[in-house]
């Protein structure tokens, strides 16, 4: 018997916005090819239906919502949840605890849910007091009404067990092993510094920009990312580009081949994410063999193990660590080899997708037993 799953909480399929969207681009086709009826809920304008890699077995449905920074996730989550109930899906995969408020609706209608809780959103600097309280309340609803929980890092699971007394399934993000791509645009292999991050304070973007100002003028720097809404960090980045010819800002890059090429050829990839769990950008950078300098956090150490270097958020320390690695050819090549090996061993998509399917099946069996 075919089973139907509704995937709620991303911008849709296929979309290239962030980590959840990356996971769904792999998961939705995998489930569909394994006999599931898959519907991915999204937002108008965020889905690339002409994408040549799109799996036609996957149904994409857009539902309305409020397109604001604070309300878009919850409003789209509500309308998607209502639609999923009307269509009587067998199980729902929910991304983000902000959608936890709508889990009682699924519970009442007898639809089990698997929830990827994401990071500890109420610890993020980008949210104000009200938003943080909303996320924490959503987490409480998730802990109470979700059938199963998914954590993308062991450290996240430990936090949830301590704060909400809920266990769950550890399922990290995966990475794609890609063919070698030239960096192009006059970039020198293993000689440039790369940042790939959404422009929010907890990704250490402000400190990185200050560190770049401390680097020698001849050092090439490539910055990938934006906030999606404009703001001070975009202004600071543009000012840096205007002042320093060797700094380039590519904004949000949705072309995987371009992004993989930048990671494959970087001399130093700086990963400044301070909250969250297993970060998909870090996993993909490792799969591409990028010599990685990461902010020293429990999450980044869990993912990198001993295959990366670590630094504090102090701009002077970031700049010094970058230069030490840029000036050490043998260490860059050693880290490149080790990170790629670790990514293949622990973060392959094949294992990740199988675990998601197993979690969905377990939720269904537990609900019906």
């Amino acid at each position: 018997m075919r089973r139907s799953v509704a995937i709620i909480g991303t911008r849709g399929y296929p979309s290239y916005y962030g980590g959840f969207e990356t996971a769904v681009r792999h998961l939705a086709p995998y489930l569909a090819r394994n006999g599931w009826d898959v519907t991915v809920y999204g937002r108008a304008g965020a889905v690339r239906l002409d994408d040549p890699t799109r799996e036609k077995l996957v149904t994409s449905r857009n539902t309305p919502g409020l397109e604001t920074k604070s309300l878009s996730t919850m409003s789209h989550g509500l309308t998607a949840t209502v639609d999923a109930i009307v269509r009587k899906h067998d199980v729902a995969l929910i991304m983000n605890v902000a959608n936890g408020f709508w889990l009682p609706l699924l519970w009442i209608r007898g639809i089990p849910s698997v929830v990827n809780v994401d990071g500890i959103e109420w610890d993020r600097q980008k949210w104000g007091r009200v938003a943080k309280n909303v996320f924490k309340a959503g987490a409480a609803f998730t802990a109470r009404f979700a059938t199963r929980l998914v954590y993308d890092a062991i450290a996240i699971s430990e936090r949830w067990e301590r704060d909400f007394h809920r266990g769950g399934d550890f399922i990290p993000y995966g990475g794609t092993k890609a063919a070698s791509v030239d960096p192009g645009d006059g970039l020198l292999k293993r000689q440039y510094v790369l940042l790939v991050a959404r422009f929010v304070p907890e990704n250490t973007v402000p400190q990185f920009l200050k560190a770049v100002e401390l680097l020698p003028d001849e050092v090439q720097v490539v910055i990938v990312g934006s906030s999606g809404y404009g703001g001070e960090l975009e202004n600071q980045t543009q000012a840096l580009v205007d002042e320093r010819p060797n700094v380039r800002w590519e904004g949000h890059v949705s072309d995987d081949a371009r992004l993989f090429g930048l990671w494959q050829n970087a001399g130093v990839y700086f990963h400044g994410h301070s909250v969250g769990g297993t970060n998909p950008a870090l996993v993909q950078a490792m799969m591409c063999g990028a010599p990685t300098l990461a902010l020293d956090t429990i999450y980044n150490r869990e993912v990198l193990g001993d295959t990366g270097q670590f630094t504090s958020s102090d701009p002077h320390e970031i700049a010094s660590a970058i230069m030490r690695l840029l000036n050490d050819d043998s260490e860059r090549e050693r880290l490149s080899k080790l990170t790629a090996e670790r990514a293949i061993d622990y973060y392959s998509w094949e294992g990740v997708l199988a675990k998601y399917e197993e979690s969905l099946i377990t939720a269904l069996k537990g609900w019906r037993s």
Side-chain angles (χ1 to χ4, degrees):
M1 184 179 80
R2 291 181 68 85
R3 299 156 294 195
S4 65
V5 57
I7 301 178
I8 297 170
T10 75
R11 293 181 175 241
Y13 170 82
S15 176
Y16 292 78
Y17 178 74
F20 278 157
E21 286 74 18
T22 299
V24 169
R25 287 206 318 274
H26 290 85
L27 179 60
Y30 174 87
L31 293 175
R33 293 164 191 160
N34 280 5
W36 292 76
D37 288 328
V38 182
T39 298
V40 181
Y41 287 89
R43 312 177 188 182
V47 175
R48 292 169 50 174
L49 294 177
D50 60 345
D51 190 320
T53 67
R54 181 177 183 271
E55 172 56 66
K56 292 180 174 58
L57 293 172
V58 176
T59 299
S60 297
R61 284 188 64 78
N62 295 331
T63 58
L66 301 174
E67 294 300 332
T68 68
K69 183 178 180 180
S70 58
L71 295 175
S72 58
T73 295
M74 290 180 62
S75 60
H76 282 282
L78 174 58
T79 56
T81 299
V82 171
D83 192 88
I85 290 171
V86 170
R87 295 177 184 278
K88 299 179 181 179
H89 289 283
D90 294 318
V91 62
L93 174 61
I94 312 294
M95 304 297 204
N96 197 319
V97 296
N99 293 307
F101 293 103
W102 321 132
L103 293 176
L105 302 176
L106 295 170
W107 186 81
I108 291 170
R109 291 305 299 266
I111 300 176
S113 58
V114 175
V115 181
N116 183 319
V117 303
D118 200 16
I120 310 299
E121 289 290 329
W122 51 95
D123 283 354
R124 294 184 186 271
Q125 298 176 42
K126 69 176 181 178
W127 302 118
R129 180 177 57 84
V130 173
K132 288 181 178 181
N133 288 336
V134 168
F135 275 115
K136 194 157 191 179
F141 270 79
T142 299
R144 171 67 179 83
F145 291 101
T147 311
R148 295 191 72 79
L149 300 182
V150 169
Y151 308 114
D152 64 33
I154 299 299
I156 295 292
S157 71
E158 292 172 347
R159 175 75 178 269
W160 271 73
E161 288 174 359
R162 183 174 70 248
D163 292 356
F164 299 103
H165 312 293
R166 279 292 304 264
D169 303 323
F170 165 55
I171 309 178
Y173 287 97
T176 301
K177 186 66 176 176
S180 297
V181 180
D182 188 90
D185 296 334
L187 294 174
L188 303 176
K189 182 178 176 64
R190 290 282 183 259
Q191 296 299 313
Y192 62 89
V193 183
L194 175 65
L195 172 77
V196 179
R198 195 171 301 164
F199 280 16
V200 291
E202 61 263 28
N203 288 347
T204 323
V205 176
Q207 295 91 329
F208 177 80
L209 296 177
K210 291 180 181 178
V212 171
E213 295 176 357
L214 302 173
L215 299 177
D217 290 343
E218 65 270 16
V219 173
Q220 293 182 316
V221 179
V222 180
I223 300 170
V224 175
S226 69
S227 70
Y229 296 93
E232 183 58 30
L233 287 177
E234 274 90 347
N235 294 338
Q236 291 178 21
T237 303
Q238 187 58 57
L240 190 61
V241 170
D242 292 340
E243 293 172 3
R244 299 176 71 107
N246 279 327
V247 176
R248 64 182 66 183
W249 177 28
E250 302 209 357
H252 176 72
V253 174
S254 60
D255 181 349
D256 281 349
R258 172 60 179 160
L259 193 53
F260 292 173
L262 289 173
W263 270 316
Q264 288 169 350
N265 295 282
V268 179
Y269 165 58
F270 176 72
H271 184 80
H273 295 61
S274 62
V275 296
T278 299
N279 184 269
L282 178 55
V283 169
Q284 188 57 59
M286 293 168 65
M287 194 67 77
C288 290
T292 300
L293 173 67
L295 189 69
D296 195 351
T297 71
I298 186 173
Y299 308 114
N300 293 338
R301 283 191 176 273
E302 178 182 323
V303 177
L304 280 163
D306 61 357
T307 70
Q309 293 188 359
F310 300 91
T311 181
S312 76
S313 61
D314 178 80
H316 289 85
E317 292 193 16
I318 294 172
S320 296
I322 286 173
M323 291 309 302
R324 283 196 300 271
L325 194 48
L326 275 181
N327 291 325
D328 192 335
D329 294 348
S330 62
E331 178 65 1
R332 290 200 307 279
E333 293 311 312
R334 186 184 76 88
L335 292 179
S336 176
K337 180 175 181 292
L338 290 177
T339 56
E341 291 175 350
R342 182 173 175 84
I344 292 170
D345 289 342
Y346 292 98
Y347 301 107
S348 69
W349 275 119
E350 291 79 5
V352 168
L353 302 180
K355 288 179 180 178
Y356 265 107
E357 184 175 28
E358 181 181 350
S359 188
L360 290 168
I361 292 172
T362 302
L364 267 171
K365 288 180 178 179
W367 191 269
R368 290 171 177 172
S369 63

